[in-house]
Coordinates of all heavy atoms in Angstrom, one line a residue:
A1 N 92.9 109.1 79.9 CA 92.1 109.6 81.0 C 92.8 109.7 82.3 O 92.4 110.4 83.2 CB 90.8 108.8 81.1
A2 N 94.0 109.0 82.5 CA 94.6 108.9 83.7 C 95.4 110.2 84.0 O 96.0 110.8 83.3 CB 95.6 107.7 83.6
T3 N 95.3 110.5 85.4 CA 96.1 111.7 86.0 C 97.3 110.9 86.6 O 97.1 110.0 87.4 CB 95.2 112.4 86.9 OG1 94.1 112.9 86.2 CG2 96.0 113.5 87.5
P4 N 98.5 111.4 86.4 CA 99.6 110.8 87.1 C 99.8 111.2 88.5 O 100.7 112.0 88.9 CB 100.9 111.3 86.2 CG 100.4 112.5 85.6 CD 98.9 112.4 85.4
E5 N 98.9 110.7 89.4 CA 98.8 111.1 90.7 C 100.1 110.6 91.5 O 100.6 111.2 92.5 CB 97.6 110.4 91.4 CG 96.3 110.7 90.8 CD 95.9 112.2 91.1 OE1 96.4 112.7 92.1 OE2 95.0 112.8 90.4
F6 N 100.8 109.5 91.0 CA 101.9 109.0 91.5 C 103.0 110.0 91.7 O 103.9 110.0 92.7 CB 102.5 107.8 90.9 CG 103.0 108.0 89.6 CD1 104.4 108.3 89.5 CD2 102.2 108.0 88.5 CE1 105.0 108.4 88.2 CE2 102.7 108.2 87.2 CZ 104.1 108.4 87.0
I7 N 103.1 111.0 90.9 CA 104.4 112.0 90.9 C 104.3 112.7 92.2 O 105.4 112.8 92.9 CB 104.2 112.9 89.7 CG1 104.4 112.1 88.4 CG2 105.2 114.0 89.7 CD1 104.2 112.9 87.1
G8 N 103.3 113.3 92.6 CA 103.2 114.0 93.8 C 103.1 113.1 95.0 O 103.8 113.4 96.1
A9 N 102.4 112.0 94.9 CA 102.3 111.0 96.0 C 103.6 110.5 96.5 O 103.8 110.2 97.7 CB 101.3 110.0 95.6
I10 N 104.5 110.2 95.6 CA 105.8 109.6 96.0 C 106.9 110.7 96.1 O 108.0 110.4 96.6 CB 106.3 108.5 95.1 CG1 106.6 108.9 93.7 CG2 105.3 107.3 95.1 CD1 107.1 107.8 92.8
G11 N 106.5 112.0 95.8 CA 107.5 113.0 96.0 C 108.4 113.4 94.9 O 109.3 114.2 95.0
L12 N 108.1 112.8 93.6 CA 108.9 113.1 92.5 C 108.8 114.6 92.2 O 109.9 115.2 91.8 CB 108.6 112.2 91.3 CG 108.9 110.8 91.4 CD1 108.3 110.1 90.3 CD2 110.4 110.6 91.5
D13 N 107.7 115.2 92.4 CA 107.5 116.6 92.0 C 108.5 117.5 92.9 O 108.8 118.6 92.4 CB 106.1 117.1 92.2 CG 105.5 116.8 93.6 OD1 106.1 115.9 94.4 OD2 104.5 117.4 94.0
A14 N 108.8 117.2 94.1 CA 109.6 117.9 94.9 C 111.1 117.5 95.0 O 111.9 118.2 95.4 CB 109.1 117.8 96.4
H15 N 111.4 116.3 94.4 CA 112.8 115.8 94.5 C 113.5 115.6 93.1 O 114.7 115.2 93.2 CB 112.7 114.5 95.3 CG 112.5 114.7 96.7 ND1 111.3 114.7 97.3 CD2 113.4 115.0 97.8 CE1 111.3 115.0 98.6 NE2 112.5 115.2 98.9
L16 N 112.8 115.8 92.0 CA 113.6 115.8 90.8 C 114.0 117.2 90.4 O 113.4 118.2 90.7 CB 112.6 115.3 89.7 CG 112.2 113.8 89.6 CD1 111.2 113.5 88.5 CD2 113.4 112.9 89.6
S17 N 115.1 117.2 89.7 CA 115.6 118.5 89.3 C 114.6 119.0 88.2 O 113.9 118.3 87.7 CB 117.0 118.4 88.6 OG 116.9 117.6 87.4
P18 N 114.6 120.3 87.9 CA 113.7 120.9 87.0 C 113.9 120.2 85.6 O 112.9 119.9 84.9 CB 114.0 122.4 86.9 CG 114.6 122.7 88.3 CD 115.4 121.4 88.6
T19 N 115.1 119.9 85.2 CA 115.3 119.3 83.8 C 114.8 117.8 83.9 O 114.1 117.4 82.9 CB 116.8 119.3 83.4 OG1 117.6 118.7 84.5 CG2 117.2 120.7 83.2
R20 N 115.0 117.1 84.9 CA 114.4 115.7 85.0 C 112.9 115.8 85.1 O 112.2 114.9 84.5 CB 115.0 115.0 86.3 CG 116.5 114.8 86.1 CD 116.8 113.3 86.2 NE 118.2 113.1 86.4 CZ 119.1 112.9 85.4 NH1 118.7 113.0 84.2 NH2 120.4 112.8 85.7
S21 N 112.4 116.7 85.8 CA 110.9 116.8 85.9 C 110.4 117.1 84.5 O 109.3 116.6 84.1 CB 110.6 118.0 86.9 OG 109.2 118.0 87.1
N22 N 111.0 118.0 83.8 CA 110.5 118.3 82.4 C 110.6 117.1 81.6 O 109.7 116.8 80.8 CB 111.5 119.4 81.8 CG 111.1 120.8 82.3 OD1 110.1 121.0 82.9 ND2 112.1 121.7 82.1
G23 N 111.7 116.3 81.7 CA 111.8 115.0 81.0 C 110.8 114.1 81.3 O 110.2 113.4 80.4
L24 N 110.4 114.0 82.6 CA 109.4 113.1 83.0 C 108.0 113.5 82.4 O 107.3 112.6 81.8 CB 109.2 113.0 84.5 CG 108.1 112.1 85.1 CD1 108.3 110.7 84.8 CD2 108.1 112.3 86.6
N25 N 107.7 114.8 82.4 CA 106.5 115.3 81.8 C 106.5 115.0 80.2 O 105.4 114.7 79.7 CB 106.3 116.8 82.1 CG 105.9 117.0 83.6 OD1 105.3 116.1 84.2 ND2 106.4 118.1 84.2
S26 N 107.6 115.1 79.7 CA 107.7 114.9 78.2 C 107.4 113.5 77.9 O 106.8 113.1 76.9 CB 109.1 115.3 77.6 OG 109.3 116.8 77.7
M27 N 107.9 112.6 78.7 CA 107.7 111.0 78.5 C 106.2 110.9 78.7 O 105.6 110.0 77.9 CB 108.6 110.3 79.5 CG 110.0 110.3 79.1 SD 111.0 109.2 80.1 CE 111.1 110.0 81.7
I28 N 105.6 111.3 79.7 CA 104.2 111.2 80.0 C 103.4 111.8 78.8 O 102.4 111.1 78.2 CB 103.7 111.8 81.3 CG1 104.3 111.1 82.4 CG2 102.2 111.8 81.4 CD1 104.2 111.6 83.9
E29 N 103.7 112.9 78.3 CA 103.0 113.5 77.2 C 103.1 112.6 75.9 O 102.1 112.4 75.2 CB 103.6 114.9 76.8 CG 103.2 115.9 77.9 CD 103.9 117.3 77.6 OE1 104.6 117.5 76.6 OE2 103.8 118.1 78.5
A30 N 104.3 112.0 75.7 CA 104.5 111.2 74.6 C 103.7 109.8 74.7 O 103.0 109.4 73.7 CB 106.0 110.7 74.4
I31 N 103.6 109.4 75.9 CA 102.8 108.2 76.1 C 101.2 108.5 75.9 O 100.5 107.8 75.2 CB 103.0 107.7 77.6 CG1 104.3 107.0 77.7 CG2 101.8 106.6 78.0 CD1 104.8 106.7 79.0
K32 N 100.8 109.6 76.4 CA 99.5 110.0 76.2 C 99.1 110.3 74.7 O 98.0 110.0 74.3 CB 99.1 111.2 77.1 CG 99.0 110.8 78.6 CD 98.4 111.9 79.4 CE 98.1 111.4 80.8 NZ 96.7 110.9 81.0
R33 N 100.1 110.9 74.0 CA 99.9 111.1 72.5 C 99.6 109.8 71.8 O 98.8 109.6 71.0 CB 101.0 111.9 72.0 CG 100.9 113.4 72.0 CD 101.9 114.1 71.1 NE 103.3 113.7 71.2 CZ 104.2 114.1 72.2 NH1 103.7 115.1 73.0 NH2 105.4 113.7 72.2
A34 N 100.5 108.9 72.2 CA 100.5 107.5 71.5 C 99.2 106.8 71.9 O 98.5 106.3 71.0 CB 101.7 106.6 71.9

């Protein structure tokens, strides 16, 4: 049920490269699948 609010709140959405951002999203998706 959790929304990863921290990503925008700490600025990761604006300061990670697109590939790192995709990786972060892939990790969150894997955690949510589990």
Side-chain angles (χ1 to χ4, degrees):
T3 302
E5 302 289 341
F6 69 93
I7 294 173
I10 64 178
L12 290 174
D13 56 340
H15 289 90
L16 288 179
S17 69
T19 55
R20 294 237 192 272
S21 186
N22 287 340
L24 177 62
N25 289 327
S26 293
M27 289 186 285
I28 292 170
E29 288 171 11
I31 288 169
K32 287 190 172 268
R33 270 194 312 275

